Amino acid sequence: MRFLSILVGLGAAFILSGCIISNAPVTDRTQLVLVDAKKEKALGLSEAESILKNATLSANKTLTNKIVEIGKRIVAVSDDAKQYEWDFYLLEDPTINAFALPGGKVFFYTGILKLMSNDDQIATVMGHEIAHVLAHHGAERMSQQMVSNVGAQILSSVLNIPAEYKGLYSTAYGIASNVGVILPFSRKHESEADTIGVYLMKKAGYNPNEAVKFWQKMAEASRGSKLEFLSTHPSDERRIKDIEAYIKTLE
Ligand SMILES: [Zn+2]
Protein backbone atom coordinates (compact mmCIF):
# COMPACT_ATOMS: atom_id res chain seq x y z
CA MET A 1 0.00 0.00 0.00
CA ARG A 2 2.82 2.32 0.87
CA PHE A 3 4.47 1.47 -2.42
CA LEU A 4 1.25 2.24 -4.27
CA SER A 5 0.93 5.63 -2.58
CA ILE A 6 4.48 6.48 -3.51
CA LEU A 7 3.78 5.48 -7.11
CA VAL A 8 0.64 7.59 -7.25
CA GLY A 9 2.51 10.45 -5.63
CA LEU A 10 5.31 10.16 -8.12
CA GLY A 11 2.87 10.23 -10.99
CA ALA A 12 1.12 13.27 -9.56
CA ALA A 13 4.38 15.04 -8.90
CA PHE A 14 5.45 14.46 -12.50
CA ILE A 15 2.22 15.90 -13.83
CA LEU A 16 2.02 18.81 -11.43
CA SER A 17 5.47 20.23 -11.42
CA GLY A 18 6.90 18.95 -14.66
CA CYS A 19 9.06 15.95 -14.15
CA ILE A 20 12.68 16.89 -13.71
CA ILE A 21 14.98 13.95 -14.00
CA SER A 22 18.59 14.89 -13.75
CA ASN A 23 21.87 13.09 -13.44
CA ALA A 24 24.40 13.65 -10.69
CA PRO A 25 27.83 14.71 -11.94
CA VAL A 26 30.64 12.10 -12.01
CA THR A 27 28.51 9.22 -10.72
CA ASP A 28 25.79 9.82 -13.35
CA ARG A 29 23.14 8.58 -10.90
CA THR A 30 19.60 9.37 -12.04
CA GLN A 31 17.81 11.72 -9.66
CA LEU A 32 14.32 13.07 -9.29
CA VAL A 33 14.59 16.78 -8.56
CA LEU A 34 11.30 18.66 -8.34
CA VAL A 35 12.67 21.90 -6.94
CA ASP A 36 13.95 24.03 -9.78
CA ALA A 37 17.48 25.40 -9.69
CA LYS A 38 16.34 29.00 -9.21
CA LYS A 39 14.27 28.17 -6.12
CA GLU A 40 17.02 25.99 -4.74
CA LYS A 41 19.52 28.81 -5.14
CA ALA A 42 17.18 31.33 -3.48
CA LEU A 43 16.69 29.03 -0.47
CA GLY A 44 20.45 28.63 -0.06
CA LEU A 45 21.07 32.33 -0.41
CA SER A 46 18.58 33.38 2.25
CA GLU A 47 19.96 30.72 4.61
CA ALA A 48 23.50 32.02 3.97
CA GLU A 49 22.43 35.57 4.75
CA SER A 50 20.96 34.58 8.10
CA ILE A 51 24.07 32.55 8.99
CA LEU A 52 26.35 35.46 8.17
CA LYS A 53 24.24 37.79 10.32
CA ASN A 54 24.88 35.62 13.37
CA ALA A 55 28.44 34.50 12.71
CA THR A 56 31.87 36.07 13.00
CA LEU A 57 34.14 35.86 9.99
CA SER A 58 37.70 34.89 10.81
CA ALA A 59 40.10 37.84 11.06
CA ASN A 60 42.94 35.58 9.91
CA LYS A 61 43.55 36.74 6.34
CA THR A 62 46.05 33.99 5.52
CA LEU A 63 43.67 31.19 6.46
CA THR A 64 40.69 32.93 4.87
CA ASN A 65 42.60 33.34 1.61
CA LYS A 66 43.62 29.71 1.74
CA ILE A 67 39.99 28.58 2.03
CA VAL A 68 38.95 30.85 -0.84
CA GLU A 69 41.82 29.72 -3.06
CA ILE A 70 41.22 26.01 -2.48
CA GLY A 71 37.50 26.46 -3.10
CA LYS A 72 38.09 28.38 -6.33
CA ARG A 73 40.66 25.90 -7.56
CA ILE A 74 38.21 23.03 -7.12
CA VAL A 75 35.18 24.68 -8.73
CA ALA A 76 37.42 25.75 -11.64
CA VAL A 77 37.78 22.12 -12.78
CA SER A 78 34.02 21.48 -12.92
CA ASP A 79 31.84 22.59 -15.82
CA ASP A 80 28.76 21.96 -13.67
CA ALA A 81 30.04 24.53 -11.19
CA LYS A 82 29.80 27.41 -13.66
CA GLN A 83 26.08 27.94 -13.07
CA TYR A 84 26.60 28.91 -9.40
CA GLU A 85 27.84 32.00 -7.61
CA TRP A 86 30.42 30.53 -5.29
CA ASP A 87 31.51 32.11 -2.04
CA PHE A 88 33.81 30.53 0.50
CA TYR A 89 33.67 31.73 4.10
CA LEU A 90 35.86 31.01 7.10
CA LEU A 91 33.94 31.52 10.35
CA GLU A 92 35.70 32.12 13.66
CA ASP A 93 34.23 29.26 15.62
CA PRO A 94 35.92 26.40 17.51
CA THR A 95 33.20 23.94 16.41
CA ILE A 96 34.54 21.20 14.18
CA ASN A 97 32.31 21.78 11.19
CA ALA A 98 32.00 22.68 7.53
CA PHE A 99 29.00 22.70 5.22
CA ALA A 100 27.70 24.05 1.93
CA LEU A 101 24.32 25.53 1.04
CA PRO A 102 22.43 24.96 -2.21
CA GLY A 103 23.56 27.47 -4.80
CA GLY A 104 27.22 27.63 -3.82
CA LYS A 105 27.86 29.17 -0.40
CA VAL A 106 30.48 27.13 1.47
CA PHE A 107 31.31 27.60 5.15
CA PHE A 108 34.37 26.36 7.02
CA TYR A 109 34.80 26.80 10.77
CA THR A 110 38.25 27.58 12.18
CA GLY A 111 37.74 24.56 14.46
CA ILE A 112 37.87 22.00 11.67
CA LEU A 113 41.08 23.50 10.24
CA LYS A 114 42.89 22.43 13.40
CA LEU A 115 42.33 18.81 12.36
CA MET A 116 43.75 19.34 8.88
CA SER A 117 47.47 18.84 8.31
CA ASN A 118 47.75 20.22 4.78
CA ASP A 119 45.94 21.83 1.85
CA ASP A 120 45.03 18.41 0.44
CA GLN A 121 43.02 17.63 3.57
CA ILE A 122 41.25 20.98 3.35
CA ALA A 123 40.56 20.14 -0.31
CA THR A 124 39.06 16.82 0.84
CA VAL A 125 36.29 18.53 2.81
CA MET A 126 36.03 21.37 0.28
CA GLY A 127 35.52 18.90 -2.57
CA HIS A 128 32.97 16.94 -0.54
CA GLU A 129 30.92 20.04 0.32
CA ILE A 130 31.07 21.41 -3.23
CA ALA A 131 29.88 17.99 -4.41
CA HIS A 132 26.70 18.22 -2.30
CA VAL A 133 25.90 21.46 -4.14
CA LEU A 134 26.75 20.16 -7.63
CA ALA A 135 24.65 17.04 -7.12
CA HIS A 136 21.66 19.05 -5.81
CA HIS A 137 21.44 16.84 -2.74
CA GLY A 138 19.39 19.44 -0.85
CA ALA A 139 16.81 19.71 -3.62
CA GLU A 140 16.70 15.95 -4.05
CA ARG A 141 16.02 15.47 -0.36
CA MET A 142 13.21 18.03 -0.53
CA SER A 143 11.81 16.29 -3.61
CA GLN A 144 11.71 12.94 -1.83
CA GLN A 145 9.71 14.53 0.97
CA MET A 146 7.39 16.21 -1.49
CA VAL A 147 6.70 12.98 -3.33
CA SER A 148 5.82 11.05 -0.20
CA ASN A 149 3.63 13.89 1.11
CA VAL A 150 1.83 14.25 -2.19
CA GLY A 151 1.40 10.48 -2.36
CA ALA A 152 -0.43 10.41 0.94
CA GLN A 153 -2.60 13.39 0.04
CA ILE A 154 -3.53 12.16 -3.42
CA LEU A 155 -4.79 8.86 -2.08
CA SER A 156 -7.28 10.62 0.16
CA SER A 157 -8.45 13.00 -2.53
CA VAL A 158 -7.59 12.02 -6.06
CA LEU A 159 -9.60 14.77 -7.69
CA ASN A 160 -8.36 17.63 -5.60
CA ILE A 161 -5.37 18.31 -7.81
CA PRO A 162 -5.28 22.12 -7.96
CA ALA A 163 -5.17 22.33 -4.15
CA GLU A 164 -2.42 19.73 -4.02
CA TYR A 165 -0.43 21.74 -6.47
CA LYS A 166 -0.61 24.76 -4.21
CA GLY A 167 0.75 22.72 -1.36
CA LEU A 168 3.71 21.42 -3.27
CA TYR A 169 6.13 24.32 -3.11
CA SER A 170 5.05 25.49 0.31
CA THR A 171 5.85 21.97 1.53
CA ALA A 172 9.31 22.38 0.06
CA TYR A 173 9.78 25.69 1.84
CA GLY A 174 8.46 24.27 5.06
CA ILE A 175 10.89 21.40 4.90
CA ALA A 176 13.72 23.71 3.97
CA SER A 177 13.14 25.98 6.93
CA ASN A 178 13.01 23.04 9.33
CA VAL A 179 16.04 21.40 7.85
CA GLY A 180 18.43 24.17 8.78
CA VAL A 181 21.85 23.31 7.56
CA ILE A 182 22.88 20.39 9.66
CA LEU A 183 20.31 17.72 8.96
CA PRO A 184 22.44 14.79 7.91
CA PHE A 185 22.35 13.66 4.33
CA SER A 186 21.58 10.04 3.62
CA ARG A 187 24.32 7.49 3.36
CA LYS A 188 23.86 7.48 -0.40
CA HIS A 189 24.36 11.24 -0.62
CA GLU A 190 27.38 11.14 1.66
CA SER A 191 29.02 8.43 -0.35
CA GLU A 192 28.25 10.21 -3.62
CA ALA A 193 29.71 13.47 -2.25
CA ASP A 194 32.88 11.55 -1.32
CA THR A 195 33.18 10.18 -4.85
CA ILE A 196 32.56 13.50 -6.60
CA GLY A 197 34.75 15.33 -4.08
CA VAL A 198 37.70 12.99 -4.53
CA TYR A 199 37.32 13.16 -8.31
CA LEU A 200 37.36 16.98 -8.25
CA MET A 201 40.23 17.33 -5.78
CA LYS A 202 42.39 15.05 -7.88
CA LYS A 203 41.48 16.92 -11.07
CA ALA A 204 42.41 20.17 -9.31
CA GLY A 205 45.85 18.76 -8.51
CA TYR A 206 45.41 17.73 -4.88
CA ASN A 207 46.51 14.39 -3.50
CA PRO A 208 43.44 12.15 -3.04
CA ASN A 209 45.32 9.83 -0.66
CA GLU A 210 45.11 12.64 1.88
CA ALA A 211 41.32 12.14 1.84
CA VAL A 212 41.85 8.68 3.28
CA LYS A 213 44.24 10.05 5.92
CA PHE A 214 41.79 12.81 6.83
CA TRP A 215 38.83 10.47 7.32
CA GLN A 216 40.99 8.06 9.30
CA LYS A 217 41.97 10.94 11.57
CA MET A 218 38.29 11.91 11.93
CA ALA A 219 37.44 8.32 12.82
CA GLU A 220 40.04 8.41 15.58
CA ALA A 221 38.90 11.83 16.79
CA SER A 222 35.32 10.57 17.02
CA ARG A 223 36.25 7.97 19.62
CA GLY A 224 35.21 9.38 22.95
CA SER A 225 34.17 12.83 21.77
CA LYS A 226 31.21 14.27 19.95
CA LEU A 227 32.15 16.36 16.95
CA GLU A 228 29.57 18.36 15.06
CA PHE A 229 30.98 17.43 11.68
CA LEU A 230 30.97 13.74 12.53
CA SER A 231 27.32 13.77 13.53
CA THR A 232 26.54 14.57 9.90
CA HIS A 233 29.56 12.81 8.41
CA PRO A 234 30.11 9.53 10.21
CA SER A 235 33.61 8.38 9.46
CA ASP A 236 33.80 4.64 9.62
CA GLU A 237 35.57 1.73 8.05
CA ARG A 238 33.14 1.57 5.16
CA ARG A 239 33.49 5.21 4.20
CA ILE A 240 37.29 4.97 4.24
CA LYS A 241 37.30 1.69 2.27
CA ASP A 242 34.93 3.11 -0.35
CA ILE A 243 37.16 6.15 -0.84
CA GLU A 244 40.27 3.97 -1.13
CA ALA A 245 38.55 1.79 -3.71
CA TYR A 246 37.43 4.80 -5.72
CA ILE A 247 40.92 6.35 -5.73
CA LYS A 248 42.23 3.11 -7.28
CA THR A 249 39.80 3.50 -10.19
CA LEU A 250 41.25 6.96 -10.90
CA GLU A 251 44.85 5.73 -11.19
ZN1 LIG B 1 28.40 15.51 3.48
Side-chain angles (χ1 to χ4, degrees):
M1 209 47 198
R2 188 174 145 70
F3 181 66
L4 178 68
S5 75
I6 288 170
L7 265 187
V8 173
L10 257 175
F14 282 1
I15 296 158
L16 295 175
S17 68
C19 156
I20 307 160
I21 299 285
S22 61
N23 288 75
V26 183
T27 63
D28 210 33
R29 180 177 61 86
T30 305
Q31 305 171 279
L32 175 70
V33 179
L34 301 169
V35 182
D36 73 48
K38 243 172 137 179
K39 285 208 166 60
E40 191 193 7
K41 215 163 153 180
L43 287 171
L45 206 67
S46 75
E47 189 79 47
E49 276 166 9
S50 74
I51 288 166
L52 287 168
K53 250 183 235 155
N54 300 305
T56 311
L57 291 171
S58 168
N60 187 325
K61 288 268 174 292
T62 312
L63 281 181
T64 301
N65 290 342
K66 193 189 269 293
I67 292 298
V68 173
E69 274 163 29
I70 294 173
K72 282 186 173 168
R73 197 167 137 187
I74 291 177
V75 295
V77 300
S78 162
D79 282 341
D80 295 300
K82 292 195 170 69
Q83 58 181 299
Y84 302 103
E85 288 151 44
W86 295 96
D87 277 306
F88 306 96
Y89 299 102
L90 179 61
L91 305 182
E92 188 59 54
D93 191 319
T95 314
I96 293 171
N97 203 9
F99 59 86
L101 296 173
K105 309 297 173 198
V106 184
F107 295 84
F108 268 66
Y109 289 39
T110 46
I112 200 169
L113 289 185
K114 296 208 166 73
L115 284 179
M116 294 165 165
S117 328
N118 49 47
D119 287 6
D120 306 274
Q121 295 189 1
I122 298 174
T124 298
V125 174
M126 185 65 83
H128 176 97
E129 294 305 329
I130 287 170
H132 278 309
V133 176
L134 295 179
H136 302 282
H137 285 162
E140 190 181 10
R141 184 167 58 189
M142 276 190 251
S143 307
Q144 287 158 353
Q145 290 286 342
M146 285 156 78
V147 167
S148 58
N149 287 355
V150 171
Q153 288 168 29
I154 294 279
L155 266 189
S156 62
S157 172
V158 177
L159 297 173
N160 199 13
I161 284 170
E164 307 297 344
Y165 178 62
K166 272 186 209 155
L168 208 57
Y169 272 120
S170 64
T171 308
Y173 282 111
I175 291 162
S177 58
N178 292 334
V179 161
V181 287
I182 48 165
L183 188 78
F185 281 110
S186 68
R187 188 85 207 201
K188 186 170 70 180
H189 283 169
E190 278 306 305
S191 155
E192 184 166 80
D194 284 342
T195 300
I196 299 170
V198 165
Y199 173 85
L200 292 177
M201 77 182 281
K202 182 165 197 252
K203 203 172 171 192
Y206 295 102
N207 179 2
N209 295 314
E210 289 295 325
V212 175
K213 287 190 193 155
F214 172 75
W215 288 112
Q216 279 167 343
K217 192 159 46 175
M218 292 300 271
E220 275 159 35
S222 70
R223 279 181 205 119
S225 62
K226 269 184 96 182
L227 306 181
E228 187 73 31
F229 190 67
L230 285 169
S231 69
T232 52
H233 293 81
S235 181
D236 52 31
E237 200 72 353
R238 184 171 142 198
R239 170 170 228 145
I240 293 164
K241 284 224 155 61
D242 285 351
I243 293 174
E244 279 175 326
Y246 181 64
I247 291 171
K248 286 214 176 76
T249 70
L250 294 174
E251 281 160 3

